[in-house]
């Protein structure tokens, strides 16, 4: 069975790569010149190809991981094939690097699914393969396989980092985490998540030990009630755990490679006087709490075929009935956060080439009360997100939520690309859906991909003050 599954997956990878190459060819023919952020990334990569490593475009805000990886792939290939002239480090060749990352992402997603769903290994062959294919075509990620952006490589190294964590190869995981940070500084949050899963495992052990002593073996982190008393219980236990020298030592013995990466990143932040390199004015941090609500809504939409069902809606209504005051408190808090902490980046209002521009214009700017009326759907989307992890320990879920807060809330700009990694982590940890649901998910992703690529290629327009062709994209 495993051998047969290997054949099927290999064939699937080949077909996926062939179709992606055909789409890549069409996109590159239509948009030969660098577009959007490529006008910064491609010239910088070409300087690295020429060995000019001391030249840097001050408008670039990320570290040079993408350019170093590109040179590391292209230079040996040029040496082997004796390529010369303009084709070396051309726009098309640089973009093709992300197509290679796409293949790597498909394989890593498949390995992560196999590792995370070991119990279903004997009867879930088709579901594992289709799930991996579906997630590798996740629309926001898949679109940027055809342009020279950091997303494909950034996602590749984060997925690889997490896979090594799951296999217990923590030094290798930390090293891969450094590579991911070189693609995008905020990936340090997901390196911290990898370390957080180790802390969560230790906290689970301590929790079980404590409750065994109290002869309360039926209690477990995942069974703590969704209430103020339950929250208080968890907070007190967490504080006790983190202030215990014995527990801290046990965690550091396992997670020290991640701690080294964390210390190194702090040194970088101090020396750099911040996280951002280059254009700092366009990437100022703020407390944009509604970003979390946007992410929950985004996750609900893209996971709709595999996450939403009648029983889940019924459980949500039961939770409302059992804990009305808790949900009233959450609603009031959410309204306050929307009222006082909604920030709108100037790019969101000015750049009509991005889909978020139209989401904001058609929904949020329709009326000033719309953002408040969306709070109940936000709460359901958030509950649906958390309910997907009911088989996970609460400490693991808390580690994920803490990292999700740090990854989304400080971002002033509503940019769907920032949701790629947290969405994939969310989706990977959901129980393996049935084949019909996976098929619906794949069809949804395929339809969205077809629509976005078609719009990018055919629906061009021009600004009044520019002759350059503009295109719509994520």
């Amino acid at each position: 069975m495993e051998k047969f599954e290997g054949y099927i997956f290999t064939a699937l990878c080949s077909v996926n790569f062939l179709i992606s190459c055909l789409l890549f060819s069409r996109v590159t023919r239509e948009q030969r010149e660098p577009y959007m952020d490529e006008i910064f990334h491609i010239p910088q990569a070409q300087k690295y190809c020429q060995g000019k490593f001391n030249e840097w475009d001050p408008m670039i805000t990320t570290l040079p991981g993408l350019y170093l990886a590109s040179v590391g792939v292209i230079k040996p290939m040029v040496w082997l094939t004796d390529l010369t002239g303009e084709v070396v480090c051309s726009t098309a060749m640089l973009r093709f690097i992300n197509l290679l990352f796409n293949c790597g992402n498909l394989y890593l997603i498949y390995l992560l699914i196999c590792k995370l769903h070991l119990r279903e290994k004997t009867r879930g062959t088709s579901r594992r393969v289709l799930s991996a294919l579906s997630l590798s075509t996740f629309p926001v990620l898949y679109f940027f396989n055809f342009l020279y952006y950091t997303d494909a490589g950034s996602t590749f190294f984060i997925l690889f980092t997490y896979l090594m964590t799951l296999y217990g190869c923590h030094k290798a995981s930390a090293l891969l985490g450094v590579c991911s940070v070189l693609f995008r500084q905020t990936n340090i949050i997901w390196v911290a998540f990898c370390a957080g899963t180790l802390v969560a495992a230790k906290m689970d052990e301590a929790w079980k030990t404590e409750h065994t002593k109290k002869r309360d073996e039926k209690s477990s982190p995942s069974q703590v009630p969704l209430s103020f008393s339950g929250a208080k219980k968890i907070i007190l236990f967490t504080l006790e755990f983190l202030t215990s020298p014995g527990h801290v030592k046990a965690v550091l013995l396992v997670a020290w490679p991640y701690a080294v990466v964390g210390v190194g990143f702090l040194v970088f932040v101090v020396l750099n006087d911040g996280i951002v390199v280059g254009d700092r004015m366009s990437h100022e941090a703020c407390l944009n709490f509604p970003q979390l609500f946007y992410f929950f809504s985004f996750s609900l939409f893209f996971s709709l075929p595999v996450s939403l069902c009648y029983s889940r809606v019924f459980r949500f209504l039961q939770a409302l009935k059992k804990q009305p005051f808790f949900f009233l408190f959450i609603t009031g808090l959410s309204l306050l956060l929307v009222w006082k902490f909604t920030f709108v980046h100037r790019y969101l209002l000015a750049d009509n080439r991005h889909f978020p521009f139209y989401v904001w214009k058609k929904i949020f700017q329709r009326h000033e009360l719309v953002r408040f009326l969306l709070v109940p759907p936000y709460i359901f989307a958030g509950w649906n997100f958390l309910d997907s992890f009911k088989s996970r320990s609460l400490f693991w879920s808390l580690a994920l939520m803490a990292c999700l807060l740090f990854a989304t809330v400080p971002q002033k700009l509503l940019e769907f690309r920032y949701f790629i990694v947290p969405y994939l982590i969310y989706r990977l940890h959901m129980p393996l859906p049935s084949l019909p649901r996976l098929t619906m998910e794949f069809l949804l992703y395929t339809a969205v991909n077809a629509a976005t690529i078609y719009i990018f290629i055919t629906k061009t327009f021009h600004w009044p003050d520019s002759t350059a062709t503009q295109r719509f994209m994520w």
Side-chain angles (χ1 to χ4, degrees):
M1 179 61 74
E2 288 184 6
K3 194 173 183 180
F4 174 74
E5 183 175 352
Y7 289 143
I8 294 294
F9 183 73
T10 302
L12 188 67
C13 288
S14 301
V15 173
N16 177 69
F17 183 66
L18 175 61
I19 294 173
S20 297
C21 283
L22 293 173
L23 291 172
F24 173 83
S25 177
R26 180 63 191 277
V27 170
T28 302
R29 281 201 309 270
E30 294 293 333
Q31 183 62 47
R32 296 181 181 276
E33 299 301 317
Y35 184 67
M36 290 288 288
D37 290 1
E38 286 186 323
I39 64 174
F40 308 114
H41 292 310
I42 288 177
Q44 186 63 54
Q46 289 170 340
K47 288 178 182 177
Y48 273 46
C49 282
Q50 297 164 10
K52 300 176 181 178
F53 295 102
N54 59 337
E55 294 186 20
W56 185 260
D57 186 340
M59 293 300 293
I60 295 173
T61 59
T62 53
L63 294 172
L66 177 61
Y67 321 129
L68 293 170
S70 300
V71 172
V73 172
I74 291 173
K75 283 297 185 180
M77 186 171 64
V78 168
W79 179 75
L80 289 170
T81 58
D82 290 326
L83 288 174
T84 57
E86 294 182 358
V87 69
V88 178
C89 284
S90 62
T91 299
M93 184 173 283
L94 289 169
R95 286 174 177 172
F96 191 78
I97 298 298
N98 280 340
L99 219 54
L100 300 179
F101 278 127
N102 172 52
C103 296
N105 284 331
L106 172 57
Y107 186 54
L108 288 172
I109 289 170
Y110 173 74
L111 292 177
L112 282 164
I113 290 171
C114 291
K115 183 64 177 176
L116 290 168
H117 302 284
L118 284 172
R119 293 179 182 177
E120 301 181 66
K121 191 170 183 179
T122 57
R123 54 187 177 87
T125 298
S126 54
R127 288 188 293 159
R128 285 195 300 273
V129 171
L130 184 55
S131 190
L133 175 64
S134 181
L135 286 181
S136 72
T137 60
F138 175 55
V140 185
L141 174 62
Y142 191 71
F143 178 84
F144 289 101
N145 292 329
F146 308 114
L147 298 175
Y148 194 61
Y149 273 61
T150 59
D151 300 276
S154 170
T155 303
F156 173 84
F157 280 106
I158 281 296
L159 293 177
F160 206 169
T161 299
Y162 188 42
L163 181 66
M164 290 298 99
T165 299
L166 293 177
Y167 275 101
C169 305
H170 300 302
K171 285 180 279 190
S173 178
L175 183 60
L176 290 164
V178 173
C179 295
S180 75
V181 172
L182 289 175
F183 274 75
R184 187 173 289 168
Q185 294 92 304
T186 52
N187 281 340
I188 191 67
I189 296 166
W190 301 110
V191 177
F193 169 71
C194 293
T197 59
L198 303 180
V199 178
K202 294 294 182 182
M203 292 181 75
D204 287 338
E205 293 175 8
W207 177 277
K208 290 174 183 177
T209 301
E210 179 179 316
H211 284 267
T212 299
K213 290 178 181 178
K214 293 179 180 180
R215 296 181 180 179
D216 190 16
E217 296 180 2
K218 293 183 180 180
S219 294
S220 70
S222 60
Q223 293 174 323
V224 174
L226 185 65
S227 62
F228 297 110
S229 60
K232 180 181 176 181
K233 191 176 184 181
I234 292 298
I235 290 170
L236 291 175
F237 176 79
T238 302
L239 290 174
E240 181 184 346
F241 181 90
L242 295 177
T243 54
S244 168
H247 288 147
V248 172
K249 181 181 177 181
V251 168
L252 286 176
L253 285 174
V254 179
W256 68 264
Y258 306 100
V260 171
V261 175
V263 171
F265 187 79
L266 287 176
V267 172
F268 159 75
V269 171
V270 171
L271 295 177
N272 187 55
D273 195 25
I275 293 176
V276 177
V277 297
D279 183 19
R280 297 170 186 258
M281 293 298 293
S282 300
H283 293 80
E284 295 176 338
C286 63
L287 290 176
N288 193 4
F289 284 101
Q291 283 277 24
L292 188 62
F293 304 146
Y294 308 150
F295 171 75
F296 286 149
S297 305
F298 174 91
S299 299
L300 179 62
F301 174 79
F302 281 107
S303 68
L304 207 59
V306 295
S307 69
L308 197 60
C309 58
Y310 171 78
S311 61
R312 180 163 288 180
V313 174
F314 182 71
R315 286 202 305 273
F316 175 70
L317 294 176
Q318 282 187 317
L320 286 176
K321 186 177 179 180
K322 290 180 180 178
Q323 301 287 344
F325 295 109
F326 179 78
F327 279 97
L328 280 174
F329 171 77
I330 294 297
T331 302
L333 179 62
S334 300
L335 288 168
L336 177 66
L337 294 176
V338 168
W339 177 35
K340 290 294 187 181
F341 294 94
T342 295
F343 293 88
V344 184
H345 200 287
R346 65 181 186 274
Y347 287 173
L348 181 61
L349 301 176
D351 196 338
N352 64 346
R353 296 170 295 180
H354 287 292
F355 295 151
F357 170 89
Y358 297 96
V359 171
W360 195 264
K361 182 180 179 181
K362 299 295 184 180
I363 299 177
F364 293 93
Q365 287 188 318
R366 187 171 291 274
H367 193 279
E368 61 181 9
L369 292 179
V370 167
R371 58 187 179 134
F372 299 106
L373 295 175
L374 288 172
V375 165
Y378 290 157
I379 291 174
F380 173 72
W383 183 90
N384 181 73
F385 180 87
L386 293 173
D387 189 63
S388 300
F389 302 131
K390 61 184 179 181
S391 61
R392 301 276 163 183
S393 76
L394 183 59
F395 296 120
W396 184 94
S397 300
L398 286 174
L400 176 62
M401 285 303 299
C403 292
L404 182 59
L405 280 169
F406 281 107
T408 57
V409 170
Q411 303 284 357
K412 190 174 184 180
L413 178 63
L414 174 57
E415 174 68 85
F416 293 146
R417 292 187 299 132
Y418 300 157
F419 296 161
I420 291 173
V421 171
Y423 178 80
L424 288 178
I425 291 175
Y426 156 65
R427 177 61 183 78
L428 283 167
H429 285 88
M430 287 176 59
L432 270 182
S434 64
L435 272 177
R437 285 182 171 273
L438 283 170
T439 303
M440 288 190 293
E441 179 188 53
F442 179 66
L443 291 176
L444 171 64
Y445 289 1
T446 301
V448 174
N449 281 325
T452 51
I453 293 172
Y454 174 79
I455 290 171
F456 180 81
I457 291 173
T458 64
K459 303 299 181 180
T460 59
F461 66 100
H462 293 84
W463 286 336
D465 58 346
S466 173
T467 58
T469 300
Q470 307 299 335
R471 301 177 186 274
F472 299 105
M473 59 186 286
W474 286 107

